[in-house]
Structure formats: structure tokens, C-alpha cells
């Protein structure tokens, strides 16, 4: 091991914050086992108890019609295509009802950028859910959707967020971040919100008291330096606002109708990036493992690479499934996976409160 890397290990062990150069060196030169060890030290600093949390919720995609045409998307459709849909309020309420009946405490509501839907559609969805299911947490609309609403309806981002919150929005999912560098975004999602727009929406949301998660989709042809840059942008924003409740990295699923053809990121790369996320993001308490994209076995291993949360039992998921990723689970199985890894399973709600 080089002396530079040894110095980084010693800094991390002392609880010191690492910089971008050190993070890149870790990603390039440290072994997965070394990274996992260091990440677990940080994980137990934030969460001294050996518990791993999970949630029961449902991803509801209100429309798959989208004009943004991201190269990695296997989910969206043109309006004229077979299978294109927009949910009615009745369909949506039925899905929320099923979620509640199955013990779900929240819904994650996201959709395509559909130019035909009026702003009232979104407000009506939120207020109808809150009217019929006041206890269900509404985690909805990633930053690119908020930017799309702002541009389509001629309102500022704070105005959009305030109106959605008034109607029932409680927190924002961190989707649509992919990699927060313009180099990658221009290549894989040139029509989507820019890095500054994604971060700007999150900053406004946090300023208004709306918490959010942050995500990263990697393995889509970006450089390792871009992964580090992404983590740095998220950490800097969190330093200013403290509004991120969790960070969720996952890998691009190159399947289905997605145009972007690259080799799928390895499990080793996933675990290394997960561990690095835990080490670098010293100001974000919760790091979530993605069993949905990696499978339950790797999800379980991820609990020894810095993750303290195994995400959702996920009653419904459409986006990753459209790319051919078919992992499924149920609550008993998820609890078993957590227990077998040596942790106590603990059900939570969307904002990481106890269920
Ligand atoms: S990823 Fe989202 S914004 Fe991009 S094409 Fe798919 S649905 Fe549209």
C-alpha cells in the first residue's frame, strides 16, 4: 500500500473528512475489503446500534409519457406508442388503498415529463391522497419533474414547490440525479435538468423545510472522477442545508428499451462506490443499499459496506423492471436477509422515523 493511501486510511480512522483527491485514490487503489472496513467504521459512528432499517411503500409512476428521451431510460413512451398511460385519480387512489392494506406507510410518486398534463393534475393527485389517506407519507416529484413543471407552467421553482406542498407533498425523492456533471448529463440525458438545476431544486426545497433524499446512478460510462465530483456536490449542498435524509447509489441497468449500451457495472464496483459514499458523505446519516438493482445477496453484503438501510419492500416498481431487472422481495424475506447479515431489522417510515 502506498504511503498516500495509508495517510487517507489513517485520516478516515480518525474521523477526518476526506477531499476529492483522497476519494479518487480510494476508489482507484483501495481494495473492496479495505473500503468496506472503513465504511463500517463510519456507519457505526452514525448508527452505534447494529440495526438495519427498511420501509414498506410503493413506487407509483403516474405517467410513462415523457418528452425528455434520456438515453438510459427503458420506461418512457411517446404518447402515440402502445402501452403509454397516465393514471386517473381513481386509479391512483386504488393503488394507495392497496398500499395501506398491505401495511405500507408511504408512496413514492414520480412520472415522465408529459406535456399534456395540466398543473391541476398534480395538485389534485396530492390533495386526493391526503383527503382519503391522511397518514400516508407523500414522497414525490424528483428535481427534473419540478424543473419541468416550472418551465411548463411559468412558475418559479419555489412557487411550484410551495403549491405542491400546500396540496400534500411532504418530501422529494432524489431521482434524476444520475451523475451530477454536465459531461455525463449531456451524453445520457441532454434534455433533462442540468446539474445546477437539480441542486437548485434541492436547495430551494430544503430552504422551504421540505426534506429529500439524494441518489446517484453510476455505471453509465462516466469516469471515476465524475463519481467523486457527484459525491462532492451532494456533500457541499448538505453542508449548507442539512436537508438530505439519505443517499442512495445504484447502478445503471442496461436492458429493455434503453438506448445506452454499456457493460453493466460489476458488484465489486457497486460495493466500492457504496462504501466510498458512506466515507465521503460524512454529513448524511443514512446510506441505502439497493437490493432492487443488485439482488438480495449483494443487498445483504452491502450491509457490511456502509449501508444502514435496505430500502423498501416495494409493493410496485416499474422503472427498473422495464430495464429487465426483476428482483422482488417481501417483508419476511427482507427481515431474514437483514437478520442473517447480523443486524436487527427495524421498520421505518419515509423520513427514517420509526414505523
Ligand atoms: S428517465 Fe425520466 S425524464 Fe428521462 S426519459 Fe425516462 S421518464 Fe423521462
Amino acid at each position: 500500500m502506498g504511503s498516500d493511501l495509508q495517510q487517507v486510511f489513517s485520516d478516515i480512522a480518525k474521523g477526518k473528512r476526506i477531499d476529492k483527491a483522497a476519494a479518487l485514490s480510494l476508489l482507484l487503489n483501495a481494495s473492496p475489503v479495505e473500503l468496506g472496513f472503513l465504511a463500517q467504521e463510519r456507519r457505526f459512528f452514525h448508527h452505534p446500534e447494529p440495526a438495519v432499517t427498511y420501509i414498506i411503500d410503493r413506487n407509483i409512476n403516474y405517467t410513462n409519457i415523457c418528452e425528455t428521451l434520456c438515453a438510459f431510460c427503458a420506461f418512457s413512451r411517446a404518447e402515440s406508442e402502445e402501452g403509454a398511460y397516465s393514471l386517473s385519480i381513481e386509479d391512483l387512489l386504488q393503488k394507495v388503498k392497496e398500499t395501506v392494506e398491505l401495511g405500507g406507510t408511504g408512496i413514492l410518486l414520480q412520472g415522465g415529463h408529459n406535456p399534456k398534463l395540466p398543473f391541476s393534475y398534480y395538485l389534485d393527485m396530492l390533495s386526493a391522497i391526503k383527503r382519503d389517506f391522511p397518514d400516508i407519507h407523500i414522497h414525490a416529484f424528483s428535481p427534473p419533474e419540478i424543473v419541468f413543471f416550472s418551465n411548463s407552467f411559468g412558475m418559479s421553482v419555489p412557487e411550484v414547490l410551495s403549491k405542491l406542498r400546500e396540496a400534500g407533498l411532504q418530501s422529494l425523492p432524489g431521482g434524476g440525479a444520475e451523475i451530477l456533471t454536465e459531461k455525463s448529463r449531456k451524453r445520457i440525458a441532454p434534455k433533462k435538468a442540468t446539474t445546477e438545476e437539480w441542486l437548485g431544486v434541492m436547495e430551494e426545497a430544503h430552504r422551504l423545510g421540505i426534506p429529500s433524499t439524494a441518489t446517484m446512478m453510476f455505471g453509465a460510462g462516466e469516469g471515476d472522477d465524475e463519481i467523486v465530483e457527484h459525491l462532492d456536490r451532494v456533500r457541499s449542498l448538505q453542508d449548507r442545508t442539512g436537508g438530505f435524509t439519505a443517499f442512495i447509489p445504484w447502478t445503471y441497468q442496461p436492458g429493455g428499451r434503453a438506448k445506452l449500451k454499456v457493460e453493466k457495472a460489476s458488484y465489486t464496483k457497486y460495493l466500492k462506490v457504496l462504501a466510498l459514499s458512506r466515507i465521503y458523505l460524512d454529513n448524511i446519516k443514512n446510506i441505502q443499499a439497493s437490493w432492487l438493482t443488485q439482488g438480495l445477496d449483494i443487498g445483504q453484503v452491502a450491509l457490511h459496506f456502509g449501508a444502514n438501510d435496505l430500502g423498501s419492500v416495494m409493493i410496485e416498481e416499474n422503472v427498473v423492471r422495464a430495464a429487465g431487472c426483476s428482483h422482488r422481495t417481501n417483508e419476511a424475506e427482507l427481515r431474514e436477509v437483514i437478520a442473517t447479515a447480523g443486524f436487527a431489522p427495524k421498520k421505518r417510515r419515509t423520513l427514517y422515523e420509526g414505523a
Side-chain angles (χ1 to χ4, degrees):
M1 187 200 306
S3 62
D4 286 356
L5 199 57
Q6 221 156 15
Q7 184 59 46
V8 176
F9 285 7
S10 145
D11 287 349
I12 295 167
K14 285 183 200 141
K16 281 194 192 162
R17 172 169 276 199
I18 61 167
D19 63 13
K20 288 199 276 182
L24 188 57
S25 171
L26 280 178
L27 197 51
L28 295 174
N29 304 315
S31 72
V33 173
E34 286 165 336
L35 274 169
F37 179 79
L38 295 167
Q40 284 305 87
E41 283 199 356
R42 285 278 166 104
R43 177 249 195 260
F44 282 109
F45 171 78
H46 287 288
H47 304 275
E49 282 179 27
V52 166
T53 48
Y54 68 94
I55 184 173
I56 303 179
D57 69 0
R58 180 173 194 159
N59 280 14
I60 301 176
N61 302 109
Y62 51 86
T63 182
N64 65 352
I65 297 171
C66 187
E67 61 176 21
T68 300
L69 308 172
C70 303
F72 58 84
C73 185
F75 168 73
S76 65
R77 295 280 188 284
E79 196 188 355
S80 54
E81 263 181 284
E82 200 188 329
Y85 73 86
S86 298
L87 293 182
S88 66
I89 301 283
E90 291 68 38
D91 292 339
L92 176 76
L93 290 175
Q94 180 57 31
K95 284 175 182 284
V96 181
K97 182 169 178 277
E98 288 162 14
T99 307
V100 171
E101 285 167 358
L102 290 166
T105 54
I107 54 158
L108 194 167
L109 198 57
Q110 291 188 126
H113 302 166
N114 182 340
K116 293 283 172 64
L117 296 174
F119 193 53
S120 57
Y121 174 81
Y122 307 101
L123 299 176
D124 291 348
M125 281 200 299
L126 296 171
S127 48
I129 296 169
K130 276 293 155 193
R131 180 194 64 218
D132 290 5
F133 305 97
D135 293 335
I136 205 95
H137 183 107
I138 307 181
H139 188 53
F141 310 126
S142 60
E145 287 163 279
I146 301 291
V147 170
F148 173 71
F149 300 161
S150 166
N151 294 337
S152 305
F153 306 119
M155 284 185 276
S156 68
V157 164
E159 215 178 326
V160 169
L161 288 168
S162 301
K163 285 182 191 297
L164 293 173
R165 179 167 61 178
E166 241 168 74
L169 174 72
Q170 289 166 281
S171 56
L172 294 191
E178 332 314 351
I179 287 286
L180 290 171
T181 68
E182 283 318 284
K183 189 176 162 200
S184 273
R185 301 184 83 74
K186 285 201 174 104
R187 182 172 53 82
I188 64 173
K191 290 176 73 186
K192 206 168 190 169
T194 62
T195 301
E196 297 310 324
E197 285 173 328
W198 191 96
L199 291 163
V201 169
M202 288 308 192
E203 187 145 13
E204 286 295 348
H206 296 172
R207 201 178 53 77
L208 291 168
I210 304 170
S212 74
T213 54
T215 68
M216 171 168 65
M217 182 194 78
F218 64 99
E222 73 288 331
D224 285 335
D225 58 328
E226 295 183 82
I227 290 176
V228 171
E229 180 64 21
H230 181 111
L231 294 176
D232 193 63
R233 297 302 303 263
V234 170
R235 186 173 78 177
S236 301
L237 178 53
Q238 180 75 339
D239 277 343
R240 294 199 295 280
T241 66
F244 289 124
T245 57
F247 184 73
I248 312 148
W250 66 72
T251 57
Y252 170 52
Q253 302 299 307
R257 297 156 42 103
K259 289 197 187 72
L260 182 67
K261 301 295 176 206
V262 292
E263 203 177 315
K264 195 173 167 179
S266 68
Y267 295 134
T268 308
K269 183 68 179 273
Y270 169 72
L271 292 170
K272 285 184 79 170
V273 172
L274 179 75
L276 182 68
S277 305
R278 167 59 83 187
I279 295 164
Y280 200 82
L281 299 174
D282 55 2
N283 53 3
I284 298 185
K285 202 173 169 193
N286 299 296
I287 303 290
Q288 190 182 119
S290 174
W291 66 263
L292 181 72
T293 57
Q294 306 303 310
L296 282 168
D297 287 348
I298 296 299
Q300 189 176 47
V301 176
L303 303 181
H304 294 281
F305 280 77
N308 66 296
D309 187 271
L310 203 43
S312 171
V313 167
M314 226 173 266
I315 295 163
E316 175 179 346
E317 199 290 325
N318 307 299
V319 176
V320 170
R321 191 150 296 140
C325 192
S326 58
H327 302 298
R328 279 176 182 275
T329 192
N330 56 49
E331 185 178 11
E333 189 178 41
L334 211 61
R335 289 182 73 90
E336 176 69 20
V337 163
I338 294 169
T340 316
F343 298 92
K346 207 166 139 192
K347 193 169 358 182
R348 64 165 171 88
R349 290 179 61 93
T350 310
L351 299 181
Y352 289 78
E353 335 86 296

